[in-house]
């Protein structure tokens, strides 16, 4: 089974796709995480992507499509994958269908995590992760049980994403509205789109996603 998570930045795609990964034995592929790893390594891709990411802009389709194509060709993806953060433009959605059908594969489910734009900026600018184990937190909705200490591993070091600053978030939301939201009808037309209310409590969102998956 191959799944896509669609939704604005801060909708909870990363959190929910990790849960799905554990439950169904699928591989989570986050193009944002892949790009951040390239930036950290200082690779050519990373160099091309960094300034765009810092400005809240999308990176060019050619670059991201090539990166994704080589990733889904790796053996671990044969058992099925969850795309988190891809596709983000109609060009990417189209390229994805083509590369999959060339290998007799397809996208089975597109889960659209719907969250009102006015609550996204607060969600994103409040979020941080444990530097050691990657556990995710939010100042308002999910602070560590003991202040300054990771619930999972006890570490005292946390980090924030460079593009989670308020100014950049505004730009990311604009890119989403202009370039990514227009993909929704593309998947709706082919009967693959399932809309999930991403404003409900996290556990409820997970349950709603499981209900969709159970029917597949
Ligand atoms: P979020 O969904 O929270 O905005 P991501 O981690 O998915 O964040 O992406 C961070 C940044 O990486 C994006 O703002 C963009 O610059 C770049 N990026 C990630 N995936 C894509 C993609 N499919 N196409 C173009 N740019 C991308
Ligand atoms: Zn931790």
């Amino acid at each position: 089974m191959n799944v896509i998570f669609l939704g604005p930045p801060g909708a909870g795609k990363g959190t929910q796709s990790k849960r799905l990964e554990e439950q169904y034995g699928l591989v989570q592929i986050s193009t944002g995480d892949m790009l951040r790893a390239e930036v950290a390594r200082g690779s050519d891709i990373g160099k091309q992507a960094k300034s765009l990411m810092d400005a809240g802009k999308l990176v060019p389709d050619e670059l991201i499509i090539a990166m994704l194509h080589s990733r889904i060709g790796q053996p671990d993806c044969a058992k099925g994958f969850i795309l988190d953060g891809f596709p983000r433009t109609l060009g990417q959605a189209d390229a994805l269908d083509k590369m999959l059908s060339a290998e007799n594969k397809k996208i089975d489910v597109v889960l659209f995590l719907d969250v009102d734009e006015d609550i996204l900026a607060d969600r994103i600018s409040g979020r941080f992760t444990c530097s050691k184990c990657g556990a995710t937190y939010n100042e308002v909705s999910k602070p560590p049980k003991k202040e300054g200490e990771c619930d999972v591993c006890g570490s005292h070091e946390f980090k924030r994403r460079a593009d989670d600053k308020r100014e950049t978030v505004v730009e990311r939301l604009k890119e989403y509205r202009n370039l990514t939201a227009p993909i929704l009808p593309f998947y709706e037309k082919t009967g693959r789109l399932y809309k999930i209310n991403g404003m409900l409590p996290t556990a409820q969102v997970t349950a709603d996603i499981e209900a969709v998956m159970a029917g597949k």
Side-chain angles (χ1 to χ4, degrees):
M1 169 119 64
N2 299 316
V3 182
I4 292 176
F5 263 108
L6 269 183
K13 301 186 294 292
T15 306
Q16 296 297 338
S17 49
K18 284 219 170 65
R19 294 186 177 196
L20 217 57
E21 175 176 49
E22 285 159 19
Q23 181 138 10
Y24 290 86
L26 304 170
V27 177
Q28 182 204 7
I29 302 175
S30 159
T31 46
D33 285 347
M34 290 173 76
L35 288 172
R36 281 184 285 279
E38 297 288 344
V39 170
R41 284 201 302 130
S43 69
D44 280 348
I45 292 182
K47 281 179 192 140
Q48 286 181 63
K50 187 177 187 313
S51 57
L52 291 163
M53 292 171 77
D54 286 348
K57 299 276 192 196
L58 295 187
V59 307
D61 276 359
E62 306 77 56
L63 185 157
I64 201 93
I65 289 166
M67 189 177 88
L68 196 273
H69 194 183
S70 70
R71 179 66 187 93
I72 60 176
Q74 287 168 17
D76 60 333
C77 291
K79 57 186 176 184
F81 52 76
I82 306 165
L83 296 179
D84 162 14
F86 185 98
R88 258 188 163 83
T89 63
L90 273 170
Q92 293 177 20
D94 195 42
L96 177 65
D97 273 359
K98 290 199 174 109
M99 68 175 92
L100 290 176
S101 70
E103 295 168 30
N104 282 319
K105 292 183 188 160
K106 62 177 172 40
I107 294 296
D108 303 287
V109 189
V110 180
L111 298 163
F112 168 45
L113 272 184
D114 189 23
V115 176
D116 288 345
E117 198 173 312
D118 53 354
I119 66 174
L120 291 169
D122 287 334
R123 273 197 188 187
I124 298 171
S125 49
R127 73 185 177 183
F128 57 96
T129 55
C130 171
S131 308
K132 203 164 159 209
C133 76
T136 56
Y137 296 97
N138 188 289
E139 284 161 7
V140 184
S141 59
K142 196 189 161 197
K145 291 197 180 72
K146 195 172 157 208
E147 203 187 325
E149 188 176 300
C150 176
D151 298 348
V152 181
C153 76
S155 166
H156 295 269
E157 271 174 59
F158 297 93
K159 58 182 183 190
R160 288 175 189 265
R161 265 170 55 179
D163 60 348
D164 279 350
K165 293 191 289 289
R166 247 170 220 281
E167 315 83 81
T168 318
V169 169
V170 171
E171 192 56 38
R172 283 160 62 199
L173 290 172
K174 214 158 92 191
E175 292 279 85
Y176 174 78
R177 216 183 304 124
N178 294 335
L179 298 169
T180 308
I183 305 179
L184 297 171
F186 175 87
Y187 289 119
E188 192 150 39
K189 270 196 316 234
T190 46
R192 291 178 284 179
L193 190 74
Y194 295 85
K195 184 167 161 173
I196 308 283
N197 182 349
M199 292 168 281
L200 298 175
T202 317
Q204 185 60 51
V205 176
T206 306
D208 291 348
I209 290 169
E210 278 164 8
V212 170
M213 297 291 286
K216 294 305 295 179

